[in-house]
Amino acid sequence: MITTRLAEIAEDAWRDHRIMPVRDGNGRVLQLGTAAVEELWQCHADHGYGLCGEFLLTHHQASTLTGMFNDDVPIPNPLIPPVEVELLDPSVGGFLPNCLYHYSDVVAEYRKAQG
């Protein structure tokens, strides 16, 4: 049932937002400062400048890279609107709404925090 739901979420994300999950083993390690996360999603939408191709990070990943470990929004003013999807949350053993942020917005927020 979980595998089926993950496949449905991936299909909906591609159809509605042109974002694609990265298969296990194909993801890169994304590092900012001393924190690192694994690439899980990629954007293939056209935001007005051609195909994007940027990494997309979950709320938790964005919080990890920016050093904001709380429930607040890790990227308060993203240039590219975040994509809302349902993701499997192991801590609750089910699917919860989540946001995917573009890597460029995470980097901009990190640089802003660094001064």
Side-chain angles (χ1 to χ4, degrees):
M1 189 165 72
I2 290 175
T3 304
T4 301
R5 184 67 190 124
L6 288 171
E8 290 171 352
I9 290 169
E11 289 171 14
D12 291 348
W14 177 252
R15 183 190 67 236
D16 299 339
H17 305 288
R18 286 297 182 248
I19 63 171
M20 181 180 292
V22 175
R23 296 181 186 192
D24 289 341
N26 292 339
R28 291 162 275 198
V29 174
L30 309 176
Q31 183 170 350
L32 264 180
T34 59
V37 297
E38 188 177 355
E39 174 191 16
L40 298 176
W41 295 85
Q42 221 178 46
C43 180
H44 293 271
D46 184 345
H47 304 295
Y49 309 101
L51 290 183
C52 180
E54 231 184 282
F55 319 120
L56 293 168
L57 303 172
T58 66
H59 181 283
H60 177 73
Q61 290 175 315
S63 295
T64 298
L65 292 181
T66 57
M68 295 176 54
F69 299 104
N70 54 35
D71 291 333
D72 293 342
V73 177
I75 314 298
N77 299 306
L79 289 177
I80 304 172
V83 177
E84 291 186 24
V85 294
E86 267 191 352
L87 298 178
L88 180 61
D89 188 334
S91 65
V92 298
F95 292 90
L96 291 177
N98 207 313
C99 285
L100 299 177
Y101 297 93
H102 282 73
Y103 185 66
S104 58
D105 286 323
V106 176
V107 170
E109 192 65 27
Y110 174 80
R111 289 187 178 145
K112 198 182 334 175
Q114 296 300 307

